[in-house]
């Protein structure tokens, strides 16, 4: 079984041979529920054990009394991360049972560019998770997150070079995640220019958070959640007392502000190496600031289904690993 | 031969071989007749093209960009309507170079 797993702060994504899975990266302590709306108990991967403790993961975690949050670099060595990985692999195994040998697995995953020194810790978390499930790892590879989208762009579903892969001098990738934005610059599809790569602690959540705060003040509400703000950004309307209020001006202003902030940092980094020929925009927040990327480079693409692009690329990378292992 | 015997119209700037040649204009003598004939031919041509060769359909700036997807590039859809990227197909030699480069890049993560 080959898996591409992208554990994000917002959502966890898994791509395997014939399917992909996405669930919110929510983790809470498992508890006895006094009633269940669903017959037949938990779905696979919703109630998992990691390091001796039981957790609700994904939508089910909303039923926990608390949800665990950790937005630090040590996240990848935490039990939260382990529980998310356990859930991701368990869900994938369920889907793979009829297709391939689920007892042996090749896992490719990613880390933010600035956290790549923690690669060994991430590998340990994957190993520990697989040990806990009783899976044997035949291959593991942790790569900088934006390279997931890079591999997705350059390889097809058979692990061969895609027919329409581009060959540009300098290709930039901007990966806008939930809490972080990562960027890399690749020359001749051969060298990663390290001094022009990095992470910005800003992403889609910052946009939701600012919009939520402003809506709260403007409409005198006690609270506006990030989910409400996300919906409002998509529709440009906010429901107040049963009426839809047009908030497009506010939304556009916030998108522009955060977009300018992110692009400003990336432009400063990339300007030191010269002109960028093509920018590939990816990540769940990619579509939000697409309009502001034009200031970085003349030509850009938004990868479709950008939220899954890194996981798709990780999966393609797992095929390359398998080919290499077979010699 | 009259100067306006042949009208050569390049229809798609990115593809110089795709052009429309209207012949026999030199026999048109009445004022405005040549431009009317050209206009009629263009209308007829594009009417046919739209139904028969959608990949060559002309686009207005306001149209949503349409990119023909191939293999993994199914994943890549339109860039912003204002900025379109043309990714040329690679020759066999370029593909070989790209493969070597990607192999080199891949080793970096092993």
């Amino acid at each position: 079984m080959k898996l591409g797993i992208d554990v994000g702060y917002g959502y966890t994504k898994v791509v395997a041979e014939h399917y992909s899975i996405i669930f919110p990266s929510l983790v809470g302590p498992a508890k006895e529920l006094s009633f269940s709306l669903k017959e037949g108990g938990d779905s696979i991967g919703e109630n998992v054990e990691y390091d001796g403790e039981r957790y609700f993961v994904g939508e089910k975690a909303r039923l926990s009394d608390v949800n665990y949050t950790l937005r630090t670099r040590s996240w990848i060595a935490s039990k939260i991360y382990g529980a998310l990985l356990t859930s991701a692999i368990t869900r994938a195994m369920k889907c793979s049972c009829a297709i391939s040998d689920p007892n042996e697995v090749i896992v490719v995953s990613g880390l933010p560019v600035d956290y790549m020194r923690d690669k060994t810790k991430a590998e340990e978390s994957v190993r520990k998770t697989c040990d806990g499930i009783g899976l044997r790892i035949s291959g593991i590879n942790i790569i900088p997150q934006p390279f997931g989208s890079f591999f997705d762009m350059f390889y097809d579903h058979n692990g061969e070079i895609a027919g329409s892969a581009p060959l540009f001098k300098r290709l930039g990738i901007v990966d806008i995640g939930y809490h972080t934005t990562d960027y890399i610059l690749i020359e001749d599809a051969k060298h990663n220019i390290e001094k022009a790569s990095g992470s910005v602690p800003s992403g889609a959540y910052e946009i939701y958070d600012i919009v939520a705060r402003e809506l709260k003040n403007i409409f005198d509400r006690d609270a506006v959640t990030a989910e409400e703000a996300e919906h409002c950004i998509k529709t440009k309307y906010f429901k107040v007392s049963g009426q839809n209020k047009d908030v497009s001006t506010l939304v556009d202003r916030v998108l522009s502000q955060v977009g300018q902030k992110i692009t400003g940092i990336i432009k400063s980094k990339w300007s030191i190496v010269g002109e960028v020929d093509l920018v590939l925009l990816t990540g769940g927040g990619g579509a939000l600031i697409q309009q502001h990327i034009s200031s970085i480079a003349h030509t850009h693409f938004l990868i479709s289904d950008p939220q899954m692009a890194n996981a798709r690329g990780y999966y393609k990378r797992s095929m390359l690993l398998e080919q290499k292992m077979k010699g | 031969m009259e100067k306006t015997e042949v009208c050569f119209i390049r229809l798609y700037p990115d593809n110089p071989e795709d052009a429309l040649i209207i012949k026999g204009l030199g026999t048109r003598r009445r004022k405005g007749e040549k431009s009317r004939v050209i206009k009629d031919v263009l209308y007829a041509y594009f009417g046919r093209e739209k139904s028969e060769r959608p990949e060559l359909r002309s686009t207005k700036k306001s149209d949503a960009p349409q990119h023909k997807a191939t293999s993994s590039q199914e994943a890549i859809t339109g860039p912003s309507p204002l900025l379109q990227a043309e990714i040329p197909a690679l020759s066999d030699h370029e593909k070989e170079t790209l493969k070597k480069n990607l192999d080199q890049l891949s080793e970096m993560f092993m």
Side-chain angles (χ1 to χ4, degrees):
Chain A
M1 181 168 69
K2 299 180 290 294
L3 296 177
I5 306 177
D6 182 13
V7 184
Y9 286 129
Y11 292 88
T12 298
K13 289 80 67 177
V14 189
V15 172
E17 190 174 3
H18 295 291
Y19 56 88
S20 54
I21 299 163
I22 179 166
F23 58 91
S25 295
L26 295 172
V27 179
K31 63 170 191 173
E32 284 293 323
L33 297 174
S34 50
F35 65 93
S36 174
L37 295 173
K38 255 193 306 187
E39 289 205 8
D42 301 310
S43 293
I44 288 178
E46 282 188 337
N47 186 339
V48 301
E49 185 177 329
Y50 180 79
D51 207 14
E53 289 180 44
R54 293 212 72 84
Y55 300 94
F56 284 167
V57 181
E59 287 295 336
K60 181 121 186 171
R62 296 187 199 277
L63 302 177
S64 298
D65 295 326
V66 289
N67 279 180
Y68 299 130
T69 308
L70 188 65
R71 308 260 183 257
T72 66
R73 188 166 176 162
S74 57
W75 192 53
I76 51 166
S78 71
K79 291 187 175 186
I80 305 172
Y81 191 84
L84 289 169
L85 270 177
T86 306
S87 178
I89 296 173
T90 311
R91 289 169 199 240
M93 280 170 70
K94 176 195 168 192
C95 300
S96 285
C97 276
I99 303 165
S100 56
D101 176 12
N103 296 320
E104 226 176 65
V105 66
I106 298 174
V107 176
V108 177
S109 191
L111 278 179
V113 175
D114 282 355
Y115 295 175
M116 274 308 288
R117 286 186 182 175
D118 298 338
K119 187 181 167 185
T120 315
K121 286 182 187 170
E123 285 173 354
E124 277 168 16
S125 287
V126 174
R127 281 204 181 87
K128 192 171 170 183
T129 302
C130 289
D131 284 348
I133 302 170
L135 263 180
R136 200 179 81 77
I137 290 189
S138 52
I140 182 167
N141 196 203
I142 307 291
I143 61 176
Q145 283 169 351
F147 273 98
S149 293
F150 175 85
F151 287 121
D152 185 43
M153 188 181 193
F154 279 84
Y155 290 96
D156 64 18
H157 292 287
N158 300 313
E160 300 293 329
I161 291 175
S164 48
L167 185 57
F168 285 97
K169 182 71 182 163
R170 287 200 188 98
L171 168 70
I173 299 181
V174 179
D175 176 9
I176 299 167
Y178 200 66
H179 277 279
T180 53
T181 294
D182 290 275
Y183 53 95
I184 53 173
L185 194 57
I186 302 154
E187 204 161 41
D188 299 321
K190 186 162 58 170
H191 307 293
N192 172 34
I193 307 175
E194 273 197 45
K195 63 182 176 184
S197 303
S199 307
V200 184
S202 179
Y205 182 80
E206 185 174 5
I207 297 168
Y208 305 150
D209 190 46
I210 297 172
V211 168
R213 269 187 281 131
E214 296 222 9
L215 288 173
K216 197 174 105 176
N217 292 334
I218 294 167
F219 296 105
D220 226 9
R221 287 263 300 258
D222 288 334
V224 176
T225 63
E227 285 81 9
E228 283 178 291
E230 186 178 353
H231 178 72
C232 177
I233 289 163
K234 278 181 192 153
T235 61
K236 306 272 178 92
Y237 283 96
F238 186 59
K239 207 165 193 175
V240 183
S241 308
Q243 283 191 320
N244 276 326
K245 302 280 185 187
D246 181 353
V247 290
S248 53
T249 312
L250 160 68
V251 170
D252 291 342
R253 175 169 55 77
V254 176
L255 289 176
S256 169
Q257 284 169 352
V258 178
Q260 277 180 45
K261 174 185 158 183
I262 292 172
T263 52
I265 294 169
I266 298 171
K267 267 167 79 173
S268 321
K269 283 275 190 175
W270 285 357
S271 63
I272 52 176
V273 292
E275 194 162 324
V276 179
D277 299 303
L278 180 75
V279 172
L280 177 69
L281 192 57
T282 184
L288 294 175
I289 68 156
Q290 187 189 358
Q291 296 301 319
H292 307 281
I293 289 294
S294 56
S295 63
I296 298 181
H298 175 69
T299 312
H300 72 266
F301 273 108
L302 172 69
I303 209 159
S304 89
D305 194 5
Q307 199 170 22
M308 296 298 293
N310 283 348
R312 276 198 307 267
Y314 298 157
Y315 174 72
K316 290 176 183 177
R317 172 95 181 140
S318 74
M319 286 193 287
L320 298 176
L321 271 185
E322 187 181 51
Q323 285 168 12
K324 200 175 170 69
M325 285 182 334
K326 282 179 180 170
Chain B
M1 186 184 286
E2 295 237 358
K3 282 182 187 169
T4 50
E5 175 68 25
V6 174
C7 174
F8 183 92
I9 300 170
R10 185 165 284 175
L11 298 168
Y12 303 95
D14 295 338
N15 183 0
E17 289 175 1
D18 205 324
L20 184 67
I21 299 167
I22 304 169
K23 291 180 179 174
L25 288 172
T27 58
R28 313 282 171 174
R29 301 210 178 268
R30 271 183 292 174
K31 194 182 176 193
E33 195 178 359
K34 286 171 194 159
S35 60
R36 187 176 54 76
V37 168
I38 293 169
K39 196 172 76 176
D40 287 349
V41 171
L42 285 174
Y43 269 117
Y45 180 85
F46 277 107
R48 179 173 59 83
E49 285 297 286
K50 279 184 179 178
S51 60
E52 291 177 7
R53 295 178 66 190
E55 78 277 16
L56 292 180
R57 192 175 293 174
S58 63
T59 54
K60 297 174 199 159
K61 280 186 178 172
S62 57
D63 284 346
Q66 293 182 342
H67 287 256
K68 195 165 163 37
T70 56
S71 59
S72 78
Q73 298 273 333
E74 278 168 9
I76 293 171
T77 51
S80 88
L82 299 173
L83 299 163
Q84 294 199 0
E86 289 292 332
I87 295 185
L90 300 179
S91 65
D92 287 345
H93 173 70
E94 285 173 325
K95 221 168 183 175
E96 198 53 42
T97 307
L98 181 60
K99 190 175 181 329
K100 277 182 195 160
N101 290 356
L102 287 171
D103 285 346
Q104 192 172 328
L105 184 73
S106 278
E107 287 301 317
M108 195 173 81
F109 302 120
M110 289 299 182

